[in-house]
Structure formats: C-alpha cells, structure tokens
Amino acid sequence: MPRSLVRYLRGPYLLARRALVGGLIQRPRRRQLGIGPGPAPLFRTVFLELRTRCNARCAFCAAAVQSETRPDVTMPFEIYAKVIEDLVRLDYRGQIAYHVNNEPLMVPHLERYIEHARERLPRAWIRIYTNGLALSRAKGEALLRAGIDELTVNWYARDPDAPFPPHLLAFRDEVLPRFHSAARVHPGYGPPAPGDRSIFRFNLCHRNVDELLDSRAGSAPNKVCHPGDATGFCEHPFTQLNITVDGRVGRCCADVYFADVMGNVTRQGLLEIWTGGPFEQARRDLLRGDRSGSDLCRRCDFRGVTSQGAPARARAAEWILFRLDRLLRAPAEDPAARPAAPGHTPPAVGT
C-alpha cells in the first residue's frame, strides 16, 4: 500500500480501532474474568522469575542474550519458600509459572523449587514455559517427576517450517509417554477448572525469532509504541502476580526491570501487596482506560487482554486488528521492524 495512503487512513483507523478494541475485545474479557469497579478477584497466576537470564536471541525481547543488561541473579530459596507459604495460607488453587522475562530451565536445580510447590500446594497448577534449548532428557524427566502439570515449548527459529530438533522430538515421543498416557495429554493452557489436575498439557510450537509483537511497555528492542497506540484497559494487574529474584513485585509481565514496584514479598504478604495501594491505583486507572499514570503503560501497545481463554468474538477481532496494524502502522512508521512470518499469528502473553 502506498505510504501516502497509509498516512491518510491512519487517523480514522486509530479512532475506529480504539472503539473496536473496547467493545469487541476488552469488554467481553472483563465480563469473563469478573473484573469491575469492586475489589479485584485474586490473581489467577503467580509468575516467579527465579533467575534473571535467558539463553535465546529473540529480536522482540530485552532479556535476550544480545540485549540483556541485568545482573545474573538467582532467587534465594528462602524467598521462594515464603511465597509458597503465603499461597498455602490462601489455599491457592490457581497457576504457578516460572517465567517472567527469563528462561526457567536455566535455573539451577529447578526441580527442587517445583517439588516444594507441589508438596505444599497439591491442587495448584504448575506450568513451565520454555524455549526448549535446555530441555535435555534428564531435565525433562526431572520436571515431570517433580510434578508439573503443563509444559509449553516455544521453538524460536527464522524458518517456521523447519523441523523441530531431535531433542524436543525425543522428549515428546520417548520421555513424556513414560509419565503420562496419550489419553491424559492434551494441548492448550491451564487446568480444565481450578484445582482440576486430571490432565497434562503439552504444547510444542514453532515461533519466529524475529517476530514483531507488542512494545512490551517500551522495552521491546524491535518495536516502538507511537502516540495513540495504547488501547486503555489492560487485564494484567487484575490477573498476574509477577515476582523477581529479590522479592519485588512488578506491575505486570512487561516490566522487565521491575521498575514499577507494587511491593516486596520479603517484607509483605502476597494478599497485602495484591490489595495494596499501588495495585489498586493501577487498576482504577486501567478501568477508566487511562494509561497516562504509568511510564510503562503509556509506552505499551498491548491490546489489553490475552488471546488464551478469551471469548471467540474477542479472538476473531484481535486476529483482524493484528493484520490491519501490520498494514496501516508498521510499514509506514517503523521501517526497522521485522514482522512475523506470513500466516504466523503470535500468541499473547498467557495468564
């Protein structure tokens, strides 16, 4: 499409997009999650960043090998154990994940952390979200033995049609069947219902290492959030509790450096942080569709709701808008951007 025509259409498109996002994507998801002006429901997922490191080279991520600036720190087990005990007191039956902006399989003795959570929280859903580079046979067996409920492997490459590497196929075809029967293994994300651990989830996905995703609150190396791109409401502060290695709790998963601190688990209980002033202010702003109160939110063009679990109408609208964005924004204003491979729709951050 000619750039002059793109510039002409961009203004009306942004106005229409904001209305569509609010009506067809955000509002149905808010109803589904029970999000309103009253007290927020308890977080659905606790994301634990046990080590501030990743071993991948994804173009869209500030934590990738070529972009990383954080010191390499691992969470002391004592901090982790306190988080788990706080969850025990809440009779927590939601999800526990070991990624924020990191690769969980780089954590030394990860299985020890998982075993402790499994023992103390028998009805919680424990999931691993990994790039698969470090998924050796021994590591896979240790994770399954420790009691995980879900394993998602995103294999990042430049050729989306390239075959999966042998070590991932060996895990799928040889290791996994020794622990879970074929009838018990299902694709998808999360438990069938809170507290239901009757199935095991396994996903093996191709992803483009040069994908152009959202701006990740201004941290994405290959994406800029332009004025007007932010779309108001965001569900993350209503559904996620993100904890990094020193106990800080961030606003959401896009806060790579945990700059907007909601609290610290070394000094506060999880419920105190979740219902505390910083989180409540963030939610009030987002319920009004106002992202101006936070530098992170102001620089973030995440559509506000995740694809996973969203109503079908919301998923369809997001699919259409994703492609319109490519047509009317990225080619004209972000010439350095490298879009995802044709036909490949990147999933949103899971909750």
Side-chain angles (χ1 to χ4, degrees):
M1 181 179 294
R3 292 194 177 210
S4 59
L5 182 58
V6 169
R7 285 193 293 269
Y8 176 78
L9 292 175
R10 177 172 162 73
Y13 168 67
L14 286 176
L15 292 175
R17 187 184 70 165
R18 192 173 186 88
L20 287 169
V21 168
L24 296 180
I25 298 177
Q26 294 174 349
R27 196 171 297 126
R29 180 62 167 165
R30 283 169 61 170
R31 285 197 298 266
Q32 184 185 57
L33 295 172
I35 294 173
L42 189 66
F43 42 83
R44 297 163 66 91
T45 305
V46 179
F47 291 91
L48 290 147
E49 187 171 69
L50 298 182
R51 184 181 177 189
T52 53
R53 273 298 172 273
C54 186
N55 53 356
R57 294 183 173 273
C58 304
F60 53 81
C61 185
V65 171
Q66 73 276 13
S67 303
E68 181 65 88
T69 60
R70 301 173 297 175
D72 184 1
V73 182
T74 299
M75 179 183 287
F77 194 83
E78 295 73 21
I79 294 178
Y80 174 80
K82 180 184 182 299
V83 171
I84 298 302
E85 290 311 303
D86 280 358
L87 293 173
V88 170
R89 284 189 282 272
L90 293 171
D91 189 26
Y92 185 66
R93 302 181 184 187
Q95 301 185 47
I96 300 173
Y98 295 89
H99 66 280
V100 183
N101 291 280
N102 64 299
E103 167 51 49
L105 300 194
M106 293 186 72
V107 177
H109 310 296
L110 175 62
E111 62 275 10
R112 180 190 175 208
Y113 291 84
I114 294 170
E115 287 168 356
H116 182 71
R118 180 81 291 152
E119 178 184 354
R120 300 294 294 143
L121 296 163
R123 300 192 69 181
W125 182 269
I126 298 178
R127 62 187 177 109
I128 297 294
Y129 198 88
T130 174
N131 60 40
L133 289 170
L135 186 59
S136 65
R137 182 183 296 268
K139 177 68 74 173
E141 291 174 349
L143 294 175
L144 293 168
R145 196 175 296 114
I148 63 172
D149 299 289
E150 177 179 327
L151 178 64
T152 292
V153 180
N154 282 328
W155 181 252
Y156 292 95
R158 287 190 168 83
D159 179 3
D161 298 319
F164 291 113
H167 74 282
L168 296 183
L169 298 178
F171 174 84
R172 183 191 66 186
D173 299 336
E174 300 171 21
V175 177
L176 184 58
R178 289 173 41 216
F179 290 83
H180 298 286
S181 67
R184 193 167 185 271
V185 177
H186 297 262
Y189 305 91
D196 183 351
R197 299 184 53 227
S198 61
I199 65 173
F200 183 87
R201 298 278 194 193
F202 178 67
N203 306 287
L204 182 56
C205 312
H206 280 292
R207 292 284 298 274
N208 187 339
V209 73
D210 293 323
E211 278 179 330
L212 182 68
L213 303 177
D214 60 64
S215 65
R216 299 287 294 165
S219 70
N222 68 345
K223 180 72 176 294
V224 175
C225 181
H226 299 285
D229 287 352
T231 51
F233 172 80
C234 178
E235 72 174 62
H236 286 337
F238 296 85
T239 60
Q240 301 179 348
L241 192 70
N242 295 276
I243 307 170
T244 194
V245 291
D246 60 1
R248 282 175 294 156
V249 175
R251 174 179 284 254
C252 75
C253 57
D255 187 359
V256 177
Y257 307 107
F258 283 76
D260 195 351
V261 179
M262 303 288 105
N264 193 305
V265 301
T266 63
R267 300 187 296 272
Q268 300 166 274
L270 298 185
L271 195 58
E272 177 188 354
I273 296 171
W274 186 248
T275 60
F279 258 132
E280 287 299 297
Q281 184 61 55
R283 295 180 190 123
R284 283 193 295 269
D285 290 344
L286 292 169
L287 282 172
R288 295 195 305 270
D290 181 6
R291 295 196 182 187
S292 65
S294 161
D295 286 340
L296 295 170
C297 293
R298 195 162 48 242
R299 294 179 293 158
C300 191
D301 62 357
F302 172 55
R303 196 116 30 221
V305 302
T306 65
S307 297
Q308 297 164 10
R313 183 174 64 174
R315 294 197 302 274
E318 186 175 48
W319 186 88
I320 293 169
L321 289 172
F322 176 79
R323 280 154 179 78
L324 285 173
D325 281 355
R326 288 289 186 274
L327 182 65
L328 295 176
R329 182 180 56 197
E333 299 196 20
D334 197 359
R338 290 165 288 184
H344 179 79
T345 305
V349 177
T351 59

